[in-house]
């Protein structure tokens, strides 16, 4: 862990960048490639620490995986021929790895133990373990499976009809991945649609799945076949530069190959609603994961209300949206975002505490926050809580502060965006 002092003196940001590969798609490409029999190739893979944790877990299960830059080759004998690992599967800081692996390993005829870092040790796992237990999964862990370490004895599973209590792509995906090995049909019902990368990738690897009006229906016993996965640029990473371009004077940033999956594009809708000067040019809307070239310029922004069905489409972007709102005219209200409390840290409290240090007019509520703007921001010493999104929010804030910003742990940003500071320097 190393601190970093940032003093940019309110620069203009001009140029083009390509953000790293989508974290969600990168994780799943390795998971599906390891479950499938045969060879899978991946291009545009995110070389962040979280995704590398996923690779290491599957290597311990006997899957051959080679990494060459952002290209990954996966050669798997298929899930039935995985090796029982002699070591604990270490998932690092990755909630996606931990939760989705629970679903996968529940149907693998192996005994495994998973654990992660201190942050993962605090994140709730029963929201995944409980529906998996309804399918017959044998999962043990601290506080009856609420926290890691978790021990999984894989075995026979039965499909379930499950209504999601909260919109969570990780819980939905864990159930669907367990459903691959379950007898009968697995049904997941969502009142608010969460990101659908798992459903898309199931089809890409040859499975049949029906998604109608928020109901996902999937028959167990299907086999997957290796294929090629092209990972788009991560819109959650792009969000930080979209906001930076909108709030820094004299800026024009072009972002290439950004994933614009409709279950993930809430940040674009918010920017448009707030009056951002932005152009979105779709590349191939029929691709497994559609992409676009997005251009953003310095903008006159107006506060807005962010609530309801859009929240699952931008849950990871709320920290940077809060910073955006500090520079908008009027009030911005964020509601229905309780899920932020169980991310890498309690992001509601973290965002409010850190932006207040910079002079923002922001208050926490039970399910979100209220921000009044525009407010000139000063410098200050910020705590990242080991959370990459909070770290990047602080770094973007430093572009418009009147003084320097110190991040107590800049290294945490490498979890999802190893080249983040290089890209800032390229645009200045």
């Amino acid at each position: 862990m190393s601190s970093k002092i940032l003093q940019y003196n309110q620069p203009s940001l001009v140029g083009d960048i390509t953000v790293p590969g989508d974290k969600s798609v990168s994780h799943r490409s390795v998971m599906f490639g390891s479950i499938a029999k045969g060879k899978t190739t991946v291009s545009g893979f995110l070389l962040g620490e979280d995704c590398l944790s996923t690779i290491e877990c599957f290597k311990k299960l006997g899957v051959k995986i080679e990494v060459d830059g952002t290209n990954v080759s996966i050669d798997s004998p298929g899930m039935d021929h995985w090796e029982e690992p002699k070591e604990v599967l270490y998932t690092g800081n990755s909630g996606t790895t931990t939760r989705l692996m629970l679903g996968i390993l529940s149907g693998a005829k192996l005994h495994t133990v998973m654990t992660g870092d201190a942050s993962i040790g605090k994140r709730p796992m029963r929201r995944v373990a409980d529906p998996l237990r309804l399918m017959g999964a044998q999962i043990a862990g601290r506080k009856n499976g609420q926290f890691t370490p978790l021990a999984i004895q894989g075995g026979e599973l039965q499909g379930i009809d499950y209504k999601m209590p909260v919109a969570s792509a990780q819980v939905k995906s864990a159930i669907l991945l367990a459903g691959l090995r379950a007898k009968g049909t697995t049904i997941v019902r969502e009142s608010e649609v969460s990101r659908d990368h798992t459903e898309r990738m199931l089809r890409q690897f040859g499975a049949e799945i029906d998604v109608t009006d928020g109901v996902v229906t999937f028959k167990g016993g299907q086999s997957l076949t290796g294929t090629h996965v092209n990972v788009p640029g991560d819109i959650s990473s792009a969000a930080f530069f979209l906001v930076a371009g909108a709030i820094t004077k004299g800026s024009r940033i072009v972002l290439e190959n950004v994933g614009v999956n409709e279950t993930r594009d809430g940040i674009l809708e918010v920017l448009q609603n707030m009056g951002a000067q932005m152009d979105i040019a779709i590349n191939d809307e029929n691709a497994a994961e559609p992409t676009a070239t997005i251009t953003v310029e310095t903008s006159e922004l107006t506060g807005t209300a962010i609530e309801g069905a859009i929240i699952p489409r931008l849950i990871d972007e709320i920290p940077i949206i809060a910073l955006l709102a500090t520079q908008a005219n009027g009030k911005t209200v964020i509601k229905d975002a309780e899920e932020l409390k169980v991310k890498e840290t309690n992001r509601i409290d973290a965002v409010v505490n850190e932006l207040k240090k910079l002079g923002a007019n922001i208050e926490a509520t039970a399910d979100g926050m209220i921000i009044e703007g525009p407010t000139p921001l000063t410098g200050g010493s910020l705590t990242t809580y080991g959370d990459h999104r909070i770290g990047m929010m602080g770094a973007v804030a430093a572009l418009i502060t009147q003084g320097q910003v110190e991040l107590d742990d800049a290294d945490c940003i490498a979890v999802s965006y190893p080249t983040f500071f290089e890209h800032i320097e390229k645009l200045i």
Side-chain angles (χ1 to χ4, degrees):
M1 185 173 85
S2 64
S3 64
K4 189 177 184 73
I5 294 174
L6 305 171
Q7 186 154 16
Y8 294 117
N9 298 318
Q10 303 179 0
S12 298
L13 303 176
V14 179
D16 61 278
I17 57 172
T18 301
V19 298
D22 187 284
K23 190 151 75 87
S24 296
V25 177
S26 294
H27 278 302
R28 287 164 174 79
S29 68
V30 173
M31 293 175 181
F32 279 83
S34 298
I35 293 168
K37 190 171 184 179
K39 190 163 187 176
T40 292
T41 54
V42 183
S43 59
F45 187 82
L46 170 62
L47 294 171
E49 293 171 7
D50 278 10
C51 297
L52 295 176
S53 292
T54 295
I55 286 178
E56 289 306 310
C57 286
F58 282 101
K59 281 184 174 181
K60 289 179 181 177
L61 292 166
V63 179
K64 295 178 181 176
I65 304 176
E66 295 181 359
V67 179
D68 181 13
T70 59
N71 296 313
V72 177
S73 174
I74 305 155
D75 195 355
S76 177
M79 193 170 173
D80 287 329
H81 300 285
W82 287 350
E83 300 169 4
E84 191 164 82
K86 297 174 184 176
E87 303 172 59
V88 170
L89 302 180
Y90 181 69
T91 61
N93 186 246
S94 178
T96 301
T97 307
T98 310
R99 289 180 173 140
L100 270 61
M101 289 290 287
L102 263 183
I104 294 168
L105 295 171
S106 291
K109 294 181 179 178
L110 307 166
H111 179 267
T112 50
V113 177
M114 276 196 303
T115 195
D117 66 7
S119 171
I120 286 295
K122 298 174 185 175
R123 297 180 69 177
M125 296 297 159
R126 277 191 60 184
R127 54 172 50 194
V128 183
D130 284 351
L132 292 176
R133 285 169 175 154
L134 294 175
M135 301 176 77
Q138 298 180 55
I139 300 167
R142 287 190 302 125
K143 302 288 185 181
N144 195 29
Q146 174 73 332
F147 302 111
T148 57
L150 297 166
I152 307 102
Q153 179 58 60
E156 297 291 333
L157 301 177
Q158 182 67 43
I160 57 170
D161 188 329
Y162 188 72
K163 184 177 181 180
M164 295 283 291
V166 295
S168 170
Q170 291 180 356
V171 177
K172 175 179 66 173
S173 297
I175 295 168
L176 293 175
L177 287 164
L180 268 173
R181 309 288 288 182
K183 293 180 180 178
T185 301
T186 294
I187 300 172
V188 180
R189 302 177 188 273
E190 295 187 290
S191 55
E192 293 178 349
V193 176
S194 61
R195 58 184 65 176
D196 68 350
H197 301 301
T198 295
E199 295 94 310
R200 288 171 179 263
M201 201 167 284
L202 279 165
R203 294 190 189 99
Q204 197 174 350
F205 278 80
E208 293 184 4
I209 183 169
D210 180 74
V211 183
T212 305
D213 297 329
V215 179
V216 184
T217 305
F218 180 58
K219 288 185 179 179
Q222 299 188 56
S223 57
L224 304 181
T225 304
T227 187
H228 176 72
V229 178
N230 182 37
V231 181
D234 196 321
I235 194 167
S236 294
S237 295
F240 292 89
F241 285 100
L242 291 171
V243 169
I247 66 176
T248 55
K249 292 179 181 178
S251 293
R252 185 178 187 274
I253 303 174
V254 179
L255 296 162
E256 306 276 2
N257 191 43
V258 179
V260 288
N261 179 315
E262 63 185 10
T263 65
R264 291 280 300 283
D265 65 355
I267 179 66
L268 302 180
E269 185 175 324
V270 167
L271 281 162
Q272 289 169 331
N273 289 345
M274 294 177 78
Q277 297 291 310
M278 187 170 62
D279 177 72
I280 304 168
I282 302 295
N283 297 327
D284 181 4
E285 61 185 15
N286 296 316
E289 291 284 351
T291 63
T293 298
I294 305 175
T295 304
V296 63
E297 299 182 29
T298 308
S299 308
E300 185 73 21
L301 303 165
T302 305
T304 189
I306 303 167
E307 59 187 320
I310 196 173
I311 293 294
R313 291 167 50 211
L314 49 64
I315 194 70
D316 285 338
E317 290 75 73
I318 287 178
I320 195 61
I321 289 172
L323 174 64
L324 176 73
T326 70
Q327 303 306 300
N329 293 297
K331 181 185 293 185
T332 295
V333 180
I334 300 172
K335 297 164 61 175
D336 305 317
E338 300 97 328
E339 191 70 8
L340 285 175
K341 294 181 178 180
V342 292
K343 288 290 184 176
E344 282 80 340
T345 186
N346 181 330
R347 282 189 181 156
I348 291 177
D349 289 348
V351 168
V352 171
N353 291 342
E354 301 316 304
L355 288 180
K356 274 188 173 181
K357 291 178 183 178
L358 301 179
N361 187 347
I362 181 170
E363 297 295 335
T365 63
D367 63 348
M369 56 196 80
I370 299 171
I371 306 111
E372 292 274 3
T375 308
L377 299 183
T378 60
S381 296
L382 302 185
T383 303
T384 66
Y385 308 88
D387 185 335
H388 55 133
R389 308 287 183 203
I390 304 298
M392 285 189 280
M393 178 194 76
V396 174
L399 294 166
I400 60 169
T401 55
Q402 295 168 356
Q404 69 182 29
V405 170
E406 181 176 4
L407 302 179
D408 72 327
D409 175 16
D411 295 343
C412 67
I413 292 170
V415 160
S416 63
Y417 205 147
T419 56
F420 180 71
F421 289 109
E422 293 173 33
H423 283 176
I424 288 179
E425 294 294 338
K426 180 183 178 184
L427 294 171
I428 292 175

